[in-house]
Amino acid sequence: MGSTAVLSVRIKRELKEEAEELGIDIRGLVEKALREEILKVKRERFRKLLEKALKNMDISVEEWVEAVKESRRER
């Protein structure tokens, strides 16, 4: 496992207690949610960048996707 960092957050006491009573791995849940959100944000940024690039190239997203598929089939 890589190095770790401490993350401190304040949540309602009742929420923490109920999660603990239910056996929820809070640390694991937070890590998973953070990983998923990071991936979501990166994908959205890439999508916007791609749209901007394709707009400047006068090619639609569908045409670009087809070109990528065709390139893969040629390999």
Side-chain angles (χ1 to χ4, degrees), residues 4-61:
T4 61
V6 175
L7 177 64
S8 179
V9 239
R10 291 207 175 265
I11 60 171
K12 293 183 179 179
R13 182 181 311 274
E14 299 82 25
L15 192 59
K16 179 182 180 285
E17 290 171 355
E18 189 170 6
E20 288 173 344
E21 287 173 11
L22 294 170
I24 296 173
D25 175 15
I26 297 172
R27 183 188 150 280
L29 181 63
V30 169
E31 273 190 11
K32 180 181 177 192
L34 191 53
R35 256 192 312 275
E36 289 174 357
E37 186 65 19
I38 288 169
L39 183 59
K40 178 181 154 188
V41 169
K42 284 182 174 182
R43 284 181 175 160
E44 181 62 22
R45 286 182 180 178
F46 179 73
R47 185 188 65 75
K48 287 179 181 178
L49 185 64
L50 180 59
E51 283 179 355
K52 185 177 178 181
L54 292 177
K55 184 177 179 182
N56 291 334
M57 294 174 53
D58 292 326
I59 184 173
S60 70
V61 172

